[in-house]
């Protein structure tokens, strides 16, 4: 079970944050059962060896970056799932991919909503550890809204079960919710009980391009003020062109921004809502606006949006942001990001889960150009500072990990950091769980 | 601000659990601002004086019962609210009643879903402290699903702000969610940021009576298996008759059970869903089944259900249960409760938020009859043990308070109790916050 081969370890050294400061781990373990996780953590606790838990390694904040002398604990081989259509819940092990969970529950006519762009390659355990979001969150909420219970291995190896397949449970502290989003710093999640919904109805889709960012943000606010779209995504000019370079789907390369908006209201109501969104885009000054009730055609536009990050990655290494603001400040955030990009002379492409104010500014830079890389990192920090100043968050759905840790105190303040530290120390007194992440 | 008049204090000695073991408080404070709460808690912390926070005093588990020598901290005078229709959020102080929050946001065309039966008299702060539920939870979730942020005064008087008006926020531990449902044991909530929805569409309503409990539970499973009702409530024969005694609305006094089911699907889809639910009731053997699209008529049947507890309280003091089970075990729970009632020779009326498996067995007893009272208390405990045995919870939405504390370890186990204790000790090392509740 224990792997020490440096070649294998190398493949587990980083997640998709590609932290250049990743350390060299002691060993890798890939347990298949909770008891093995408990045995590993008990041993690590006794010997004060750090443990870095990881799922599929697709994290974007460096939460799974290897540390010197640490045990890497990958949950990739814990892949069981049981679906109960009567309670509309699924019990899943953490190593299953989000897409595999979606497919397994779909076989029973059910739906697990949270849908990070990386849903085909990210693990459900990692989703819970980061409180991952996605495209449908604007209407359906984030991972924590779907976690009813879990099994978790604590820092001393104790296994506890929290919550269960019950929509309502006020018995004791809300510990399940505390572990969601704790990024492996409080325990290792070995099983999740997920709330499911009936299959999503077919969606109607609106795609619109805008000549200016102002027009696009006006359309966003008009849409969210009128109804609750099941998706409302934004791509800027740079990302439109990057996607078009790869997919050749006929996107307008001259547009300043593109919106993809969807409705999954029942029956013909999806079309009615799409009409309202189409009219809002036209009123805001869309150069082109297009509506389809064809699910396949709609899916193609969503695929374009999901493909934005991979397409931009082909242009060069990215520093990937995840800042969010209250919706009315979205325009200020986007304008402010453009100012930062200009001041620091770096290319910043903005894509966004526009409907919930969560944006992904992507800072493109050449790692062989030390000066540009330095300016990119300055912009990275300044964008977070900007979001904080607008009443926002440094991370909407990726987590703090190691990459964003230095900015967390600026967002939450010293009292909340002290409170966080008290909980961390109470649950992991020797600090063996994912040291260096979050706190 | 500090009240020591015993007559006034007497009115704050208990909540609606009417715990006979309530103590005598030192004094009552009714702050109007966060700074006053902080000053009170700072003083209490320095002098190691227990603080019992309370909202409107409508709790049913004794979470706000006065303790000897404690300060009673009532938030009833903290009643501000600001509604932001663009972000669809409201910032509210804890003393506002749930119904007042609903009304204030409705003025902006918005909806705060959680609706405990006591919504006209319970406070929003108490709702957050107990993670309160209600009738719409079967489709819309519980209080925690609507709390995006809060301001909370910690045990040492420190004021912290957690979360904010953002649908997505993965920055640091999920502390907001930890404080929801903590029943005043970790801090005093002084402000809440609530997520709102667009106004609920008009509902179609189905009412059906059943000759047997078996037929009623069959209908419940058929309905929840087919769709997501916006309400699915159950009343047994005793509660039907108690309500009919008071309201004279023509309920069938011979029925074994009554279901009220609603749909709020858009437009004519509410009617379609109501038809499906009506057919499910008829197929399960309903003696009468009736459907209305008239909101007022539908509301009258919901009012009957909401009035069940007050109507039964007029028959005599109640021991009010709040046990929940995974939905497929609902029939076993109801049968088991009948067995317990027969064995202990006490009258137990069962009403339920049937769609989410959360039941309220109401144990009627004569407090002047010591033997009957003893048997009622035995039944009270046995019903919780039954629920635990069925994979359920001792409290779905009322909280543990002091009344159910003895059964919490049986549900969650010693390891979770130890984990709970570690968090409690880390956040409230002198144990001044709501001592004797939950842990």
């Amino acid at each position: 079970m224990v792997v020490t081969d440096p070649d294998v370890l190398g493949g587990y050294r980083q997640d998709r944050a590609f932290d250049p400061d990743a350390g060299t781990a002691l060993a890798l373990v890939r347990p298949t059962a909770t008891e093995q996780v408990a045995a590993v953590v008990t041993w690590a606790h006794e010997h004060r060896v750090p443990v870095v838990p990881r799922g599929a390694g697709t994290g974007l904040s460096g939460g799974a970056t290897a540390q010197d002398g640490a045990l890497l604990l990958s949950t990739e081989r814990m892949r069981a799932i049981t679906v109960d259509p009567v309670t509309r819940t699924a019990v899943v092990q953490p190593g299953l991919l989000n897409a595999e969970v979606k497919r397994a529950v779909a076989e029973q006519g059910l739906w697990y909503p949270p849908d990070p762009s990386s849903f085909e390659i990210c693990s459900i355990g990692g989703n819970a550890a980061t409180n991952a979001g996605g495209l449908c969150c604007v209407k359906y909420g984030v991972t924590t809204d779907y976690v009813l219970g879990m099994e978790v291995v604590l820092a001393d190896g104790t296994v506890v079960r929290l919550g269960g397949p019950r929509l309502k449970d006020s018995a004791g502290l809300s510990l399940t919710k505390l572990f969601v989003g704790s990024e492996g710093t409080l325990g290792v999640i070995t099983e999740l009980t997920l709330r499911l919904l009936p299959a999503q109805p077919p969606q109607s889709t609106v795609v619109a391009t805008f000549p200016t960012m102002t027009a696009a943000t006006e359309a966003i606010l008009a849409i969210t003020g009128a109804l609750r779209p099941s998706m409302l995504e934004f791509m800027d000019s740079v990302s439109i062109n990057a996607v078009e370079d790869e997919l050749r789907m006929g996107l307008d390369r001259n547009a300043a921004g593109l919106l993809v908006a969807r409705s999954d209201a029942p029956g013909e109501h999806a079309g009615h809502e799409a009409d309202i969104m189409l009219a809002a885009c036209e009123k805001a000054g869309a150069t082109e606006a297009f509506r389809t009730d064809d699910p396949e055609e709609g899916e193609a536009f969503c695929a374009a949006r999901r493909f934005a990050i991979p397409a931009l990655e082909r242009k060069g290494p990215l520093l990937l942001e995840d800042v969010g603001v209250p919706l009315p400040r979205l325009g200020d955030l986007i304008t402010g990001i453009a100012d930062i990009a200009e001041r620091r002379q770096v290319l910043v492409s903005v894509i966004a889960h526009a409907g919930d104010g969560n944006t992904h500014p992507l800072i493109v830079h050449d790692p062989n150009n030390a000066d540009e890389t330095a300016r990119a990192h300055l912009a990275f920090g300044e964008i977070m500072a900007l979001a904080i100043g607008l009443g926002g968050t440094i991370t909407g759905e990726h987590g703090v990990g190691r990459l964003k840790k230095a900015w967390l105190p600026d967002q939450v303040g010293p009292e909340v950091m002290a409170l966080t530290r008290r909980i961390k120390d109470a649950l992991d007194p020797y600090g063996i769980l994912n040291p260096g992440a979050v706190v």
Side-chain angles (χ1 to χ4, degrees), chain A residues 141-303:
Chain A
V142 293
T143 303
T144 193
D145 298 314
Y146 294 88
V147 180
L148 295 177
M150 64 170 66
E151 181 189 69
V152 61
V153 175
L154 303 180
D156 64 359
T158 308
V159 182
V160 294
R161 296 198 76 88
L162 306 171
R166 298 174 292 269
L167 272 177
K168 286 174 167 174
D169 193 346
S170 286
L173 295 180
S174 303
L175 298 172
T176 306
K177 300 285 191 189
L178 175 65
F179 282 90
V180 175
S182 63
E183 300 191 44
T185 64
L186 302 182
V188 182
I189 297 169
T190 49
E191 188 188 284
L192 292 159
T193 300
L194 302 174
R195 182 168 77 96
L196 307 171
L197 298 184
Q200 187 176 30
Q203 300 183 77
S204 293
T205 308
V206 171
V207 184
T209 49
F210 297 87
T212 61
M213 295 295 291
T214 313
T217 50
E218 193 183 310
I220 291 164
L221 287 172
I223 289 169
T224 57
L227 51 85
R228 287 210 305 155
S230 53
M231 178 185 296
L232 182 49
E233 293 291 317
F234 170 80
M235 293 166 67
D236 73 354
S237 168
V238 178
S239 56
I240 292 168
N241 279 283
V243 169
E244 189 59 20
D245 287 349
E246 301 289 334
L247 298 186
R248 314 274 168 196
M249 56 192 295
L251 301 178
D252 177 2
R253 287 182 176 275
N254 297 315
L258 177 149
L259 287 183
V260 185
R262 304 187 92 179
S263 167
D264 64 356
E268 74 293 354
H269 290 272
H272 295 168
E273 290 195 350
D275 285 339
I276 294 169
M277 297 193 286
L278 188 75
C281 291
E282 283 166 350
K283 194 173 169 213
T287 42
E288 279 188 86
F290 166 79
R291 179 205 138 166
T292 178
D293 294 335
D294 180 58
E296 223 163 289
E297 201 171 23
E299 208 48 60
F301 287 106
C302 300

Side-chain angles (χ1 to χ4, degrees), chain A residues 386-424:
Chain A
L386 171 66
I388 294 169
L390 294 169
T393 178
I394 60 171
T395 174
E397 55 184 9
H398 295 170
V400 172
R402 293 175 175 83
L403 238 57
K404 301 202 150 194
K405 191 171 69 159
W407 287 270
L408 184 60
D410 292 345
Q411 177 179 332
V412 303
E415 293 84 4
V416 173
M417 289 308 296
L419 178 58
T420 302
R421 171 52 69 188
R422 270 146 72 187
I423 292 172
K424 169 71 173 170

Side-chain angles (χ1 to χ4, degrees), chain A residues 71-92:
Chain A
L71 265 185
L72 301 177
L73 193 165
S74 167
T75 59
E76 72 197 283
R77 293 183 177 172
M78 301 180 72
R79 296 175 42 77
I81 181 166
T82 317
V83 183
D84 179 355
V86 181
T87 55
R88 287 207 188 98
T89 54
V91 176
V92 305

